[in-house]
Amino acid sequence: NAGVTQTPKFQVLKTGQSMTLQCAQDMNHNSMYWYRQDPGMGLRLIYYSASEGTTDKGEVPNGYNVSRLNKREFSLRLESAAPSQTSVYFCASSSRTSGHYEQYFGPGTRLTVT
Amino acid sequence: DAKTTQPNSMESNEEEPVHLPCNHSTISGTDYIHWYRQLPSQGPEYVIHGLTSNVNNRMASLAIAEDRKSSTLILHRATLRDAAVYYCILRDVVMGSARQLTFGSGTQLTVLP
């Protein structure tokens, strides 16, 4: 099992450019999440998907869109990148059958917006 | 979500036990106590969780105060690989529903050789 994988690992964007961060999990988990982590801070939830076909806003959704493509994949899109979106982005997943007690995180995408 | 308070940093010697405290005086009866850790340049990793009773797993033990207003994560024998930021998180988990994790700033654990 690869667990949770994220692509790309690193990305540099210019202000106003768009990009999509990809996330996939091979653990047959129902729920998936996108977090961002700014330097020296804890993670903050951007969006989550409780199950295939549903998405909900988290704490900091402005400037982002998401797509739950299927049970395995959950993508995060920045339509018009801003320097304030410079951060490390983590995708995570959890299983309803285990009560969502454990979230499994990917290795992260380091995004810099200049 | 109820708030947690953790020391900003702690040090430990290698191969000695480590007790990481967490205060959560406003915890509600349905809040579970979760611990995650984040090694340098990696995503967070689940460590342990509990509700009222003390819990043990292969990674650590969780000691929960009788009034549930505080808890302690115990690493029985610290290794250099345990150097990480440790997050104590309260979460009201409803079975069948995804819930976000609310991360604070955590405790940076340094393990000295």
Side-chain angles (χ1 to χ4, degrees):
Chain A
N1 279 356
V4 179
T5 56
Q6 294 183 236
T7 55
K9 287 187 167 53
F10 301 93
Q11 184 70 50
V12 178
L13 290 178
K14 293 188 189 316
T15 297
Q17 288 185 319
S18 62
M19 80 161 295
T20 300
L21 281 64
Q22 306 287 353
C23 174
Q25 52 89 12
D26 62 1
M27 296 173 284
N28 201 35
H29 284 174
N30 312 98
S31 301
M32 298 184 72
Y33 312 79
W34 276 105
Y35 292 86
R36 62 177 286 176
Q37 185 173 33
D38 298 328
M41 298 181 64
L43 281 71
R44 292 183 293 169
L45 184 71
I46 305 170
Y47 271 93
Y48 71 99
S49 171
S51 60
E52 190 178 349
T54 69
T55 60
D56 285 285
K57 294 178 180 179
E59 182 185 353
V60 288
N62 291 344
Y64 305 95
N65 286 303
V66 290
S67 295
R68 183 73 183 268
L69 305 168
N70 48 55
K71 193 171 187 180
R72 289 188 65 246
E73 298 171 289
F74 189 37
S75 63
L76 178 72
R77 183 159 178 85
L78 286 70
E79 290 292 351
S80 179
S84 60
Q85 294 178 304
T86 294
S87 191
V88 181
Y89 291 84
F90 291 101
C91 178
S93 69
S94 66
S95 169
R96 182 193 304 138
T97 55
S98 65
H100 302 291
Y101 292 117
E102 299 180 40
Q103 287 189 15
Y104 295 81
F105 286 81
T109 294
R110 295 184 178 275
L111 175 66
T112 301
V113 183
T114 61
Chain B
D1 288 330
K3 188 177 174 177
T4 61
T5 304
Q6 300 177 252
N8 288 335
S9 62
M10 291 184 64
E11 278 187 359
S12 172
N13 293 320
E14 196 177 10
E15 298 187 4
E16 290 186 357
V18 182
H19 291 234
L20 296 163
C22 181
N23 286 319
H24 30 78
S25 59
T26 59
I27 191 171
S28 75
T30 54
D31 282 333
Y32 280 75
I33 302 160
H34 294 250
W35 283 83
Y36 280 73
R37 71 179 185 181
Q38 188 172 20
L39 278 63
S41 299
Q42 294 189 28
E45 174 187 30
Y46 168 85
V47 178
I48 200 166
H49 77 276
L51 183 61
T52 56
S53 304
N54 294 346
V55 184
N56 300 297
N57 66 20
R58 63 174 179 81
M59 289 182 69
S61 295
L62 175 60
I64 301 172
E66 198 169 329
D67 63 5
R68 299 207 330 124
K69 293 183 186 299
S70 65
S71 60
T72 303
L73 179 71
I74 302 165
L75 307 180
H76 295 286
R77 214 165 150 262
T79 68
L80 297 178
R81 195 194 170 277
D82 291 321
V85 178
Y86 286 79
Y87 296 99
C88 170
I89 300 166
L90 302 184
R91 184 157 166 260
D92 185 354
V93 176
V94 176
M95 284 298 293
S97 298
R99 286 287 187 269
Q100 69 181 68
L101 294 172
T102 301
F103 288 78
S105 52
T107 297
Q108 173 69 63
L109 175 66
T110 301
V111 180
L112 304 173

